Amino acid sequence: MDNLLIKAQNLSKYFTDSSGVHKAVDGVSLNIHKGETLGIVGESGSGKTTLGRTIMRLYQPNHGQIWFEGKEITGLKDSKLRPYQKDIQMIFQNPYDSLSPRMTVGDILEEPLYIQKMGTKSERTEKAMKMLEKVGLPKTSYKKRIHEFSGGQRQRIGIARALIVEPKFVIADEPVSALDVSVQAQVLNLLKDLQTDMNLTCLFISHDLSVVHYMSDRVAVMYLGHLIEMAPKEELYHNPIHPYTQSLLSSIPVPDPERRRHQKEPVILPPKPLYPPQLVHVGNNHYVSADMIQIKDFEIENQQRVISNNK
Amino acid sequence: MNQHVLQIKNLHVSFNKKKNKSIAVNDVSLQVEKGQTVALIGESGSGKSMTSLSVLNLLPVNGKAERGSITFNGIDLLKLTEKQMRKIRGNEISMIFQDAIASLNPGMKVGVQITEGLKNHNIITKNERKSVALDLLDKVGFKNPEQVYHQYPEQLSGGMKQRILIAMAVSCKPKLIIADEPTTSLDVTIQRQVLDLIDYYKSDMDASVLLITHDFGIVAEYADWVYVMLGGHIVESADVYTIFQNPVHPYTKALIGSIPRPEMEQERLKSIQDYTFEKDYEGRQFAPETYTYESSSFQAPSSLVEIEPLYYVRFYDEKRMVTTIG
Amino acid sequence: MILKLAKQPQLIIGLTFISSILVFSFFWTDILQVEKTEALKLMDFMYDDEGKIIDHIPYSPSEVPPFGTDLYGKQLFYQIIDGAKYTILIAFVIAFLRIVVSVGITLINPRANYAFLDDLISATLTIPTTIIAYIFMNTLLIKSSMDGKSTNELIFLQCLVLIGIGIPPLISTFTREIRGILDKDYINNTFAIGARKSYVYYKHVLPELSTRLILIFAQQMIQVLILLAHLGVLAIFIGGAQTLVLGDPMNTVLQDIPIAGEWAGIIGMSFTKLQAAPWIILIPLSCFAVTILALNLIIQGIQNSVEETQKL
Amino acid sequence: MYFSINSYLRRLRSTILGILIISILPAVLFGINTQLSEQVYVYSLKGLNVTRNIFPEIYSQFFYSMTIFFTALLIGLLVSLTLTFITTLLPRFLQRMIYGLLTLFESLPDLFIVVLLQVCIVALYKKTGLLIPFYNDYNNPIYLLPILVLSIVPTIQLYKITLLLMREEQHKPYVTVARAMGLSRFYITLKHVFRNILTSLLQYAKTIFVFMLSNLFIVEYVYNLNGIMSLLMITRGAAFLVTALFIAVPFSILFELADNYNASVNKQLKEKNAA
C-alpha cells in the first residue's frame, strides 16, 4: 500500500532497573495510513506511552524497525533524524510539565521553527501569531508565561507548538487526561478540527475508551506491552473478541440512567499473557492476538457473524 | 417526618489565605435520604470536596464552615465538640478518599489498619481483631485474606488498596458513606469493581451514600439524586432520570454533552460555549447579559428556584444583588 | 527573579554581612586611618608608667581591646580584619572552580556512569574529607619543601588539591540533578522537535539548574571554610609556613608562622596553646562560624524564594 | 529485603578501590615514594620519623572509637526523639522558634563546638574544681566527655529532621483517613506518625554517619584521644589502607542498608507519581 505513513515491525522497548528487565513494549507491529487516526487504548502499565515515545524515537527500541514514508528511521543518528522530527510531532499528556516554565508563549511556539531553521525572525513571529489564533487563544498570550494560563489553555499552547512546524504525523499522548470534562471536550474538538484542517495523520493514545472512540478511525488495545486487538472502531466496539477488550468495553460507565448495567464481573487477565503476541486477522480488518487453537474458533465465529450480518 | 439521614442547609465554607479570604462553598443545601445514593458532581475547584470534608469537620486548618447547619439524624454536626465528633466519625459516617495509594499508612499492616476503627469505637476486643479483619477482607473480595492481613500497603495494587479503604469505611457499619472521587486514580475495569462494592454495601447495610465525582457516567450508573456544583454553588438538582432527560441549566447540559459516547452517533462534542446562547428558561435568566461560562467562578448573585416539584435550578437574581450590596 | 530575591530578609542580611566584611577587609587601613605595618607590628612587653614590666605577650582581649594579641604580640583584631579577604576569597574561588569543573565534566555525558568516581565517593563516605585533604596537603608540603617551591606556586598547588577533592561528589550530585531535568517532559518535548544536545543544555538545562547552582555554590563555600578551619587545626596552612626564630639568641625557639594571613592560619599556629590563650583560637573560629551562618542565611533566603514561586 | 550479598560486595570492592586510590594518589601526584608496608610512619612536623607496627594496638583503638561513636549516636537519637515529642506538645509559635534556633545551631562548625566545650570545661574546673575528666590517660582512656561532645551534632541534626518530618507526616492523607475513622490526634501521633518517622529517619542515616565520622576525627584530635581516626591521620601506605578498612568495612554495611532502604522508598514514590 503506498499510502502507508508509519510502519512498525516487531517493536520492543525494555527498561532495566534494580528489580530486573521490564518489557514495556514487546513485539508490537502496526501500520498507520495517511490521513487516518489510530487510537491506542490501554490501562496504566500497558506500555502505550512507551510505544508512542519509541515511534517518536525519543526512546531507542531494543528490537524491531520503524519506517516513515517507506524509509527506515530506526537506526538513524541524531543529525540524520532531524528532518524527520519536523514531520513527526508529539502532544504531551501534561501541559504543566511539557512546556518550559521559563519561556514566554512566543518563545515556546517559535522554538521548533528556530531549531528546524525555518523562516526569519519576523516570519516566525508571524507564524506563531497565526497559530495562536488557530488554537483559539488571544494574541496577547504571546508575551505571557505558562503559569498565567489555565490547564485547557496550556494544552492549546502544547498543540500549537506541535503543529507549528506543519508535521505530517502527530502522536497525541493522553492529551486530555489532565483536564476537566468540559475543557476536555473543547480540546478534543479543537484537535479534530485542526486534524481535518491540516490533513494530519494521528496516533491517539489514551486510557479512556470513549475518548479514543471519539477521536479515532481504528483502535488498538494494548495490554502489558502487547497489542491484543486492533480493528476499525465500530467493528471493535460492537464485536470485541478478546475477553480483555470485552471487559474494558463493559466497564465504561454509560451516561444514561436508563441503561444501567450493574454487577457485571470484569475480566482481569493474568499478569503475563499466556500466548505469544501474534495478531491474527479474523476478517473486517479485525486483528486479535491469539494462540493457534483460538484462531480456528475465531475463524468459525467470524464466518457465522458475517453470515448473520448479511441476513 | 424526618427521613433525611443528612441535611445540609445554607452551608458556607471559607478559607483564610495569607491576606484574603476565599469562599469555597457558598450557600449549599443538600439532603441525603435513607438508602439513597446522592451524587455531588462538579469540576475541580467547584467546592464539592470541601462540602464533604465539612460534614466530618475535617477541613484543612485554614478552612472554616461559617454559616449554615449540617444535620445528621437530628444532630447538628457543626455544633459538636471534637470529642463528640470523634464518636460520629467512622462509626456513624465514614469516608472513602480519592488517593487510595497515600490513604493507607505505609508502615502498618493491612489487617491492623482495617480494624483500627472498630477497636477505637470499642466495638470489638483485641482478641476478636483478627477474625473480624479476615471477615472484612473476605467481604471486599480478597481470595486470600490470611495473606493480605499480614501484608503492608506497598505490596498491594491501587485497586486492592481502594478495596481495603472500603473495608475500613464499612467496618463499623456506618449509616452514611461519603465517597470522595473514589475511583479517579484507578483503571476503568477496577473502577467498576470498586463502585459496585460500595453499592453492594449500601444496600447490604441499608446505608446511604454521598458520592462526590466529576464523571456523569458514574452518576448515571449509580446515583438516585444529583446535585451539580459550580464555583461553590449548587446550580441544579433533581433526581437522576429527570436531570439526564431534560437538563435545564446550560452548565449541566454542557457537562452531559461533553462526554464522548461510543454508543451514540456523535458528530461533535458539546462544550460550554455551545450553550452560552441559552440565556434564559421560561423567562428566568441564568446569568446577567455579560456573563460567560468560561470562568468557573459563578459570582453573579443568584438563587435556586424550584421549577418543578423537587427540581431546583439556579437563576440570576437581581433582587438578591440589591440585598447583598445593601 | 532578582526582585523576588530582594524580598527575602535572610538573603539580604547574609549578603550585606559578607560584602561589608570584604569591603572592610580591603580598605580597613583607610577606614580606620591606621598604617598597616604599625597595626600589625609585634608588641612586646607591657610597661607601666614607671617603665616596669607588668605583663608579657600574649595579651588577652581585656588588656588589648578588642580581641587581644596573638602569641607573638600581633593585634588579633587587625589580623582578623586583614585575613577576612583571603579566607573568604579563597573559599569563593575554590568553591567556584569546583562547580565549574564538575558541571563541565558532567555535561560531557550526563548519562555516563563513572565507576571510578563511585569508588572514590564510597570511600570518602567512611574517611572524613579532612583526613583525605590532610594526606594530600601534607605530602604536597613535604614535596614543596624538598623542591623549594615558591609561595605562589605552593598556593596554586594547594588550591588545586582543595578543588580536586571536592569534585567527585559534586559530579555525582550534578549527574543526578541534570538527569532529573533531562527526564522532564518539556526537555523531551524539545528533543522531539529535533533540538541538538548543546542547544538543550544551553537553553533549558543550565537556566533550570541556575538556582540549584547558586545553592550548591554556597554550600560548597561552607564546606571549604570548614575544611580550611580543620586543616588550620592540623597545622596545614595555605601558602605554607615560615619558620621564625624566637626568643633571645641564647635560647632560640623555632616556630612555624603561616605566610598568608587567613583565619585558619591564626588558629593553627596557636592551637597548642588553647588553654593558655583560648581567645586566639575562639575568636577566629567564631569568625568562621559567623561567616558560615551568613552563607546559611543566603541559602535559606534563596530556598524560601524558590518555595514561594513554586506555590504560585 | 534490604540487603544482598552481591550488592554489598560490589560496594566493598568500590570502597577498597577508592581507599587504594586515595592512599596512592598523593604519592603518585607529587612523586614521593611511600613505602607500602604495614609499618606506620609517625612523624612530627620537625621531620622526626618513628616507626612502629599498627598491630595489635589497632584493635583497642578501633573498639574505643566505635564505643564512643555508637554511644553518642544512641544518646543523640534518644535525646532528639524525646525533645521532638515534647516539642509537638508546645504551641505553634514556640515550635517555629525552636526550629529557627536549630537552624542557627546547625550552622555552627563542629570544630567550634568541640573547642568551646573544651575551653569551658577547663574554665569550669579552674573555677569550681569540678572535674569532668578531660585529660586522656594512655591506660585509662576517657569516655564521658568525648561521648557527650560527639552526641551534640547528631542531636541537633536529628532534632531538626524529626521536627521537619513530623510536620510533613501530619499532612499526609492517611492521617486524614485515620481521623475520619474517629481516631484521636494523640493516638494518631503516637501510633501512626511517630512510628513512620522512625523509619523515615533511616533515609538520613547516611548523612548523619558521614557527619559524625568527621566529627569523631575532630574530637579525637582536639581531646588527644588514642582512637582509630587519629591513627588514620598519621598512617601512610599499606598501614593507612588497613586502618581505613577497619572503618570502611563495618560502615559500608550500614551505608548499604541505608541506600537500599532509600532505593525502595524512592521506588515507591516513583510508582505513586506514575499512578
Side-chain angles (χ1 to χ4, degrees), chain B residues 41-105:
Chain B
I41 184 167
E43 298 187 318
S44 50
S46 62
K48 56 188 194 305
S49 283
M50 289 307 144
T51 310
S52 67
L53 283 175
S54 48
V55 173
L56 280 182
N57 199 1
L58 285 175
L59 288 170
V61 210
N62 55 347
K64 199 172 171 253
E66 286 202 315
R67 271 180 282 161
S69 65
I70 300 173
T71 320
F72 171 75
N73 282 340
I75 315 160
D76 189 348
L77 297 180
L78 290 181
K79 294 211 171 78
L80 294 185
T81 62
E82 176 70 18
K83 206 173 171 189
Q84 291 169 317
M85 195 66 217
R86 278 214 302 269
K87 291 206 175 109
I88 305 264
R89 287 185 198 140
N91 200 7
E92 307 267 338
I93 307 174
S94 68
M95 197 153 174
I96 301 164
F97 291 88
Q98 170 178 0
D99 190 355
I101 292 163
S103 288
L104 286 170
N105 184 348

Side-chain angles (χ1 to χ4, degrees), chain A residues 134-185:
Chain A
K134 259 192 185 170
V135 296
L137 288 172
K139 284 194 170 160
T140 48
S141 319
Y142 186 85
K143 283 219 177 327
K144 289 186 184 166
R145 270 166 219 275
I146 285 300
H147 63 85
E148 296 172 61
F149 293 91
S150 69
Q153 287 169 323
R154 284 179 211 201
Q155 197 53 293
R156 281 166 195 266
I157 296 167
I159 292 170
R161 176 175 158 110
L163 300 187
I164 197 163
V165 288
E166 292 165 16
K168 292 177 182 158
F169 179 56
V170 173
I171 299 171
D173 182 10
E174 299 255 20
V176 293
S177 67
L179 305 177
D180 271 330
V181 202
S182 63
V183 183
Q184 172 178 316

Side-chain angles (χ1 to χ4, degrees), chain D residues 30-49:
Chain D
F30 306 119
I32 284 185
N33 182 29
T34 320
Q35 266 179 287
L36 286 178
S37 70
E38 87 269 23
Q39 301 294 304
V40 190
Y41 279 76
V42 181
Y43 47 90
S44 77
L45 290 169
K46 302 288 180 289
L48 270 167
N49 281 352

